[in-house]
Amino acid sequence: MILLISDLHLQEERPDITRAFLALLDGRARSASALYILGDFFEAWIGDDGMSPFQQSICQALRAVSDRGTAVYLMHGNRDFLIGQAFCEAAGCTLLSDPSVVDLGGERVLLMHGDSLCTRDVGYLKLRRVLRNPLTLWILRHLSLANRQRLARKLRSESKAQTQMKATEIIDVTPEEIPQVMAAHGVRTLIHGHTHRPAIHKLMVDGEPARRIVLGDWDRQGWALQVDEQGFQLAPFAIG
Ligand code: MN
């Protein structure tokens, strides 16, 4: 059995979500061969050297799961793209690039965080290109912790203000983008998060039936996609 989750936005201010995540690790994840976390695992990440005690406790919890034999894969989201190799080594997880094609239950599946599919959000994509540029990443990682904290606060407040102004269709994925991306990777299943619109969408790719599975964010309820003999099952569960 394989589990996929995303958009937990783990933070000290939401102990209910943290408890639900730890319960998942202690429950279903125990019998999972693999756990995929498709981005925005943390609400914010300013660098592996700036881990708070809270973030270190999450790191240790992940480590315990991988030590028990569950392979843990982590993809960057737009909130935690500064997670680096040091964290992954400490947590015993493997960093997945976005996009990645993996084998899930015998099927080639495309995994993404999902922000790069929101192509109508031109301003955000511009910012994304700048932030993910290797040179920018190098500079960010070499800024002092205090400066990174300041920068993270600024980006967050700007993103909040802009999201409130933008029409909802801008922040969702661009529908026309999906079949192209899937065809380019030769897959019939795409799994992503980011949009906080959990659903399984049917579509056609190269004249064949295909599906796009959107993982949900964790807020009033949590979401997990379970892949086993019965197929791909996306279901919410209670938090708190
Ligand atoms: Mn996101």
Side-chain angles (χ1 to χ4, degrees):
M1 183 260 276
I2 295 166
L3 285 173
L4 297 100
I5 56 177
S6 77
D7 302 277
L8 284 72
H9 296 267
L10 290 178
Q11 52 191 302
E12 231 162 333
E13 292 76 12
R14 290 296 302 268
D16 52 339
I17 294 176
T18 304
R19 270 195 305 274
F21 174 61
L22 296 176
L24 182 87
L25 292 186
D26 221 25
R28 269 197 284 175
R30 277 181 179 270
S31 43
S33 59
L35 170 68
Y36 287 85
I37 305 168
L38 299 188
D40 288 354
F41 180 44
F42 290 103
E43 170 72 2
W45 196 267
I46 55 168
D48 296 355
D49 54 341
M51 260 197 263
S52 66
F54 165 74
Q55 290 171 332
Q56 290 193 0
S57 70
I58 299 295
C59 179
Q60 279 154 17
L62 270 187
R63 177 86 212 193
V65 169
S66 68
D67 281 348
R68 283 199 301 262
T70 302
V72 182
Y73 299 97
L74 184 70
M75 185 177 275
H76 284 146
N78 47 298
R79 301 295 195 125
D80 52 13
F81 66 94
L82 281 179
I83 289 178
Q85 210 49 51
F87 172 80
C88 289
E89 270 165 38
C93 63
T94 305
L95 200 58
L96 279 184
S97 52
D98 180 5
S100 281
V101 175
V102 300
D103 183 294
L104 293 185
E107 185 184 343
R108 275 166 42 82
V109 173
L110 178 62
L111 305 180
M112 303 176 82
H113 175 57
D115 54 332
S116 61
L117 297 168
C118 304
T119 54
R120 279 176 294 196
D121 198 343
V122 178
Y124 168 70
L125 282 187
K126 241 192 223 162
L127 176 68
R128 188 184 197 272
R129 265 195 300 277
V130 172
L131 288 176
R132 305 297 182 90
N133 182 290
L135 181 63
T136 314
L137 288 173
W138 187 89
I139 293 169
L140 282 175
R141 292 200 167 103
H142 287 81
L143 284 176
S144 72
L145 267 180
N147 277 331
R148 274 180 275 158
Q149 261 147 357
R150 243 191 311 269
L151 190 62
R153 266 198 300 276
K154 187 162 177 277
L155 284 174
R156 257 170 86 177
S157 62
E158 274 175 14
S159 152
K160 258 186 199 145
Q162 279 178 16
T163 306
Q164 275 156 10
M165 285 189 316
K166 278 176 193 159
T168 48
E169 72 265 19
I170 300 180
I171 304 157
D172 201 357
V173 301
T174 309
E176 305 81 61
E177 196 73 19
I178 306 300
Q180 291 180 23
V181 171
M182 293 178 72
H185 288 88
V187 298
R188 296 297 173 261
T189 299
L190 161 65
I191 301 171
H192 70 82
H194 178 68
T195 62
H196 300 193
R197 291 170 168 85
I200 300 185
H201 301 276
K202 289 189 183 353
L203 68 151
M204 298 298 281
V205 174
D206 286 340
E208 286 180 31
R211 60 187 163 177
R212 174 170 68 96
I213 303 174
V214 188
L215 304 173
D217 60 308
W218 292 33
D219 188 8
R220 300 234 174 83
Q221 51 189 4
W223 287 87
L225 174 68
Q226 185 168 324
V227 180
D228 55 29
E229 313 77 49
Q230 278 155 62
F232 290 61
Q233 301 154 77
L234 178 67
F237 49 86
I239 276 185

